[in-house]
Amino acid sequence: MEEVVQELSGLFEETPVLIAVYDGFDRLRYANKAFRAAYFIEPGEMPLWADLMRRNHQASRGTVIHAADFEEWLRSTQSRRGKMGFRAFETDLLDGRWLWMTETMQADGWMLCIASDITGLRARSRAVRQDRDLAIKASYTDELTGVANRRFVMGRIEDMLQRGAAVRGCLAVLDIDGFKAINDRFGHQTGDQILRDFTIKVHGLVQRTHCFGRVGGEEFVLVMPGTSLEEAALIVEKMLVIVRKSRPLTERPDFSYTFSAGIAACREGDIALSLYSRADKALYCAKMAGRNRIQLDGSASDQSAASG
Ligand code: GH3
Ligand code: MG
Ligand code: MG
């Protein structure tokens, strides 16, 4: 076995196929020569995927990015990256090459990327395929905030429920408090700005194997496979704290806002709707108990008193 591993690592360095492995934090842990050359990585370097994309974008090399705002592109891509077991797509590099990239995920968040150069293959119909891919991406993305939308998130709930008992997890429904009053007071546009602020703040705390998306209005969900109710509460608790601290309106530096959340754990026999409805009921209890807090499904006690 050891001999095979040694031969493999030699072959990996030789092959023109690009090979890389990212860990559960989306940090590059291995890249062969071809991958390092395409994405300008020094041997032994282990950047986070986001930092790698950012620095290549700044230096006008690496992946071609079709977006006016890089950070928004990054958030949007991260909200869907590595959330499905397997993905394959065409991607282009600023040096003019086209790659057929595949991503294979493990439940612990490690990802294997393998890409082949397909520059000369079916080049004439590439524009059509690219349009199709952009349309698919748009169909999974919330237009206002750039994160995953209801359709994508519901798919990830189904995925979570289909996995074995060992990796089942929790669902949280997050809803901004008193949002109607915020709209009434400051106008719809400011309301939209707060929705975007909420997305950015919460997104920063979403774990790589979890999926965060907007399902409508000021309601968001967080799908947390492989996470216990207690762990889920800790994660959402951090989100409560960061959102309470946010001051999104430069013209009103003392304005702050809050949200409430209901969290439910997967049960045997659950379908997406039954799980969602328990999380939603817990959310309702959190609202009734005074907002700005978390309520866990199945517990009458208040999990997070509004501590300001
Ligand atoms: P609660 O604390 O009980 O959640 O009260 P709330 O006011 O947040 O909830 P309610 O459901 O009464 O109001 C939600 C408001 O969200 C009403 C709707 O006009 C507004 N809304 C829905 N979608 C959007 C949007 O895309 N942008 C903006 N600015 N407002 C939106
Ligand atoms: Mg609300
Ligand atoms: Mg609501």
Side-chain angles (χ1 to χ4, degrees):
M1 189 62 193
E2 227 168 80
E3 187 194 346
V4 176
V5 171
Q6 207 167 12
E7 288 295 338
L8 265 180
S9 83
L11 284 165
F12 280 10
E13 280 300 284
E14 285 308 308
T15 179
V17 172
L18 289 70
I19 304 170
V21 175
Y22 291 90
D23 68 14
F25 299 99
D26 220 1
R27 182 175 290 286
L28 184 74
R29 297 293 289 270
Y30 170 81
N32 73 344
K33 199 163 150 189
F35 194 96
R36 293 199 306 270
Y39 294 100
F40 301 86
I41 303 157
E42 296 300 321
E45 230 195 324
M46 291 195 270
L48 286 168
W49 175 79
D51 292 339
L52 179 61
M53 297 311 281
R54 190 178 288 115
R55 83 180 188 202
N56 279 342
H57 176 69
Q58 279 161 4
S60 299
R61 60 193 196 189
T63 307
V64 174
I65 290 167
H66 305 276
D69 180 338
F70 173 78
E71 292 300 326
E72 194 169 314
W73 174 87
L74 194 64
R75 236 183 347 267
S76 171
T77 305
Q78 278 178 320
S79 91
R80 283 169 287 99
R81 174 176 161 83
K83 313 297 180 199
M84 286 188 268
F86 180 80
R87 213 160 69 105
F89 53 93
E90 269 178 276
T91 178
D92 53 342
L93 298 175
L94 282 153
D95 65 14
R97 276 189 290 165
W98 279 88
L99 302 174
W100 178 248
M101 176 72 77
T102 67
E103 295 175 350
T104 308
M105 293 297 302
Q106 265 185 163
D108 61 5
W110 282 63
M111 178 197 268
L112 171 68
C113 300
I114 297 182
S116 315
D117 190 327
I118 52 158
T119 312
L121 291 179
R122 296 172 67 217
R124 269 191 303 161
S125 47
R126 183 154 286 140
V128 179
R129 290 197 301 279
Q130 239 202 328
D131 284 350
R132 176 204 60 192
D133 289 352
L134 284 173
I136 291 172
K137 184 177 165 180
S139 80
Y140 283 138
T141 305
D142 173 56
E143 217 180 348
L144 179 69
T145 62
V147 292
N149 65 9
R150 180 182 197 93
R151 179 184 288 136
F152 188 82
V153 162
M154 293 314 270
R156 303 298 70 73
I157 298 176
E158 299 284 357
D159 289 352
M160 175 168 77
L161 289 169
Q162 271 164 25
R163 296 217 213 136
V167 286
R168 287 191 160 217
C170 287
L171 176 71
V173 181
L174 289 66
D175 185 290
I176 299 178
D177 296 325
F179 194 66
K180 196 178 172 304
I182 294 175
N183 266 331
D184 291 347
R185 193 166 152 214
F186 302 116
H188 211 260
Q189 255 187 324
T190 303
D192 285 359
Q193 195 183 328
I194 287 156
L195 289 171
R196 281 194 290 265
D197 178 74
F198 178 78
T199 306
I200 293 167
K201 295 289 167 353
V202 170
H203 177 83
L205 293 172
V206 177
Q207 293 182 11
R208 159 109 141 119
T209 53
H210 296 174
C211 176
F212 171 66
R214 178 175 178 226
V215 291
E218 22 73 89
E219 188 165 312
F220 296 79
V221 308
L222 182 60
V223 188
M224 295 170 276
T227 307
S228 69
L229 206 52
E230 293 72 28
E231 289 165 343
L234 280 176
I235 292 167
V236 181
E237 194 73 50
K238 282 190 193 143
M239 294 171 173
L240 274 182
V241 171
I242 206 161
V243 169
R244 279 177 197 144
K245 282 191 193 146
S246 179
R247 299 290 179 272
L249 307 181
T250 38
E251 65 279 19
R252 290 171 193 275
D254 52 351
F255 170 82
S256 64
Y257 66 102
T258 60
F259 73 93
S260 303
I263 311 178
C266 299
R267 278 189 204 156
E268 208 54 55
D270 255 337
I271 56 168
L273 273 183
S274 57
L275 176 62
Y276 201 108
S277 123
R278 286 203 309 284
D280 210 30
K281 272 191 196 130
L283 169 65
Y284 179 76
C285 293
K287 294 278 185 188
M288 288 299 104
R291 296 175 171 78
N292 187 14
R293 69 193 65 210
I294 298 170
Q295 178 71 48
L296 303 186
D297 169 47
S299 79
S301 69
D302 195 6
Q303 292 299 317
S304 165
S307 48

